[in-house]
Coordinates of all heavy atoms in Angstrom, one line a residue:
R1 N 143.5 79.8 49.6 CA 143.6 79.3 48.3 C 142.7 78.1 48.1 O 142.2 77.8 47.0 CB 145.1 78.8 47.9 CG 145.8 80.1 47.6 CD 147.2 79.6 47.2 NE 148.1 80.8 46.9 CZ 149.2 80.7 46.5 NH1 149.8 79.5 46.2 NH2 150.0 81.8 46.3
D2 N 142.6 77.2 49.2 CA 141.7 76.0 49.1 C 140.3 76.2 49.2 O 139.5 75.4 49.3 CB 142.2 75.0 50.1 CG 142.1 75.5 51.6 OD1 141.5 76.5 51.8 OD2 142.5 74.7 52.4
G3 N 139.9 77.5 49.4 CA 138.5 77.9 49.5 C 137.9 78.0 50.8 O 136.8 78.5 51.0
R4 N 138.7 77.6 51.9 CA 138.2 77.8 53.3 C 138.3 79.3 53.6 O 139.1 80.0 53.2 CB 139.0 77.0 54.2 CG 138.9 75.5 54.0 CD 139.7 74.8 55.1 NE 141.1 75.1 55.0 CZ 141.9 75.0 56.0 NH1 141.6 74.6 57.2 NH2 143.2 75.3 55.8
R5 N 137.3 79.6 54.5 CA 137.3 81.0 55.1 C 138.2 81.1 56.3 O 138.1 80.2 57.2 CB 135.9 81.4 55.5 CG 134.9 81.5 54.3 CD 135.1 82.7 53.4 NE 134.9 83.8 54.1 CZ 135.3 85.1 53.5 NH1 135.9 85.1 52.4 NH2 135.1 86.0 54.2
A6 N 139.1 81.9 56.4 CA 139.9 82.2 57.6 C 139.4 83.4 58.3 O 139.1 84.4 57.5 CB 141.3 82.3 57.1
R7 N 139.3 83.4 59.6 CA 138.8 84.6 60.3 C 139.8 84.9 61.4 O 140.5 83.9 62.0 CB 137.5 84.3 61.0 CG 136.5 84.0 59.8 CD 135.1 83.6 60.4 NE 134.3 83.1 59.5 CZ 133.3 83.7 58.8 NH1 133.3 85.0 59.0 NH2 132.5 83.1 58.0
S8 N 140.0 86.1 61.8 CA 140.7 86.5 63.0 C 139.9 87.4 63.9 O 139.1 88.2 63.4 CB 142.1 87.3 62.7 OG 141.7 88.6 62.1
L9 N 139.9 87.1 65.1 CA 139.2 87.9 66.1 C 140.1 88.4 67.1 O 141.1 87.9 67.5 CB 138.2 86.9 66.9 CG 137.0 86.3 66.2 CD1 136.2 85.3 67.1 CD2 136.1 87.4 65.7
H10 N 139.9 89.7 67.4 CA 140.8 90.4 68.4 C 139.8 91.2 69.3 O 139.1 91.9 69.0 CB 141.6 91.5 67.7 CG 142.7 92.0 68.6 ND1 143.9 92.4 68.2 CD2 142.7 92.3 69.9 CE1 144.6 92.9 69.1 NE2 143.9 92.9 70.3
N11 N 140.1 90.8 70.8 CA 139.5 91.5 71.8 C 140.3 92.7 72.3 O 141.4 92.5 72.8 CB 139.2 90.5 73.0 CG 138.5 91.1 74.1 OD1 137.9 92.3 74.0 ND2 138.5 90.5 75.3
W12 N 139.8 93.9 72.1 CA 140.6 95.0 72.5 C 140.3 95.6 73.8 O 140.4 96.8 74.1 CB 140.3 96.1 71.4 CG 140.7 95.8 70.1 CD1 139.9 95.2 69.0 CD2 141.9 96.2 69.4 NE1 140.7 95.1 68.0 CE2 141.9 95.6 68.0 CE3 143.1 96.8 69.8 CZ2 142.9 95.8 67.2 CZ3 144.2 96.9 68.9 CH2 144.1 96.4 67.6
S13 N 140.0 94.7 74.8 CA 139.5 95.2 76.1 C 140.2 94.3 77.1 O 140.8 93.3 76.9 CB 138.1 94.8 76.1 OG 137.6 95.0 77.5
W14 N 140.2 94.8 78.4 CA 140.6 94.1 79.5 C 139.7 93.1 80.0 O 140.0 92.3 80.9 CB 141.1 95.1 80.7 CG 142.3 95.9 80.4 CD1 142.2 97.2 80.0 CD2 143.6 95.6 80.5 NE1 143.5 97.7 79.9 CE2 144.3 96.7 80.1 CE3 144.2 94.4 80.7 CZ2 145.6 96.6 80.2 CZ3 145.5 94.4 80.8 CH2 146.4 95.4 80.5
E15 N 138.5 93.1 79.6 CA 137.4 92.2 80.0 C 137.4 90.9 78.9 O 137.5 91.1 77.8 CB 136.0 92.8 79.9 CG 136.0 94.1 80.8 CD 136.3 93.8 82.3 OE1 135.8 92.7 82.7 OE2 136.9 94.8 82.8
A16 N 137.2 89.8 79.6 CA 137.0 88.5 78.8 C 135.6 88.6 78.2 O 134.7 89.1 78.8 CB 137.2 87.3 79.7
V17 N 135.4 88.1 77.0 CA 134.1 88.1 76.3 C 133.9 86.9 75.5 O 134.8 86.0 75.2 CB 134.1 89.2 75.2 CG1 134.1 90.6 76.0 CG2 135.1 89.2 74.1
S18 N 132.7 86.6 75.1 CA 132.4 85.4 74.3 C 131.5 86.0 73.1 O 130.7 86.8 73.2 CB 131.5 84.4 75.1 OG 131.3 83.3 74.3
V19 N 132.0 85.5 71.9 CA 131.5 86.0 70.6 C 130.7 84.9 70.0 O 131.2 83.9 69.7 CB 132.5 86.6 69.7 CG1 132.0 87.1 68.5 CG2 133.3 87.8 70.5
A20 N 129.4 85.1 69.7 CA 128.7 84.1 68.9 C 129.2 84.1 67.5 O 129.6 85.1 67.0 CB 127.3 84.6 68.8
V21 N 129.3 83.0 66.9 CA 129.9 82.8 65.6 C 128.8 82.3 64.6 O 127.9 81.5 65.0 CB 131.1 81.9 65.5 CG1 132.2 82.6 66.3 CG2 130.9 80.5 66.1
P22 N 129.0 82.7 63.3 CA 128.0 82.3 62.3 C 127.9 80.8 61.8 O 127.0 80.4 61.3 CB 128.2 83.3 61.1 CG 129.6 83.6 61.3 CD 129.9 83.6 62.7
T23 N 129.1 80.3 62.1 CA 129.4 78.9 61.7 C 130.3 78.3 62.6 O 131.1 78.9 63.3 CB 129.7 78.7 60.2 OG1 129.8 77.4 59.8 CG2 131.1 79.3 60.0
S24 N 130.4 76.9 62.6 CA 131.4 76.2 63.6 C 132.8 76.7 63.1 O 133.1 76.6 61.9 CB 131.1 74.8 63.4 OG 132.1 74.1 64.3
L25 N 133.7 77.1 64.0 CA 135.0 77.4 63.7 C 136.0 76.7 64.4 O 135.7 76.1 65.6 CB 135.2 79.0 64.0 CG 134.3 79.9 63.2 CD1 134.6 81.3 63.8 CD2 134.6 79.9 61.7
R26 N 137.2 76.5 63.8 CA 138.3 75.7 64.4 C 139.5 76.6 64.6 O 139.9 77.4 63.7 CB 138.6 74.5 63.5 CG 139.8 73.7 64.0 CD 140.1 72.4 63.1 NE 138.9 71.6 63.0 CZ 138.6 70.6 63.8 NH1 139.5 70.3 64.7 NH2 137.6 69.8 63.6
N27 N 140.1 76.7 65.8 CA 141.3 77.4 66.2 C 142.4 76.8 65.2 O 142.7 75.7 65.2 CB 141.6 77.3 67.6 CG 142.7 78.3 68.0 OD1 143.7 78.4 67.4 ND2 142.5 78.9 69.2
A28 N 143.1 77.7 64.5 CA 144.1 77.4 63.6 C 145.4 76.8 64.3 O 146.1 76.1 63.8 CB 144.4 78.5 62.6
L29 N 145.6 77.3 65.6 CA 146.8 76.9 66.2 C 146.5 75.7 67.2 O 147.4 75.0 67.4 CB 147.3 78.1 67.1 CG 147.6 79.4 66.3 CD1 148.0 80.6 67.2 CD2 148.8 79.0 65.3
T30 N 145.4 75.6 68.0 CA 145.2 74.6 68.9 C 144.3 73.4 68.5 O 144.1 72.5 69.1 CB 144.6 75.2 70.3 OG1 143.4 75.6 69.8 CG2 145.5 76.2 70.7

């Protein structure tokens, strides 16, 4: 509602990965 974009990422694998992001993102929980 405040205009901010919220995103969720889900890794569906047993392997750890790193995902490049289009803009600086902040973890909503930590």
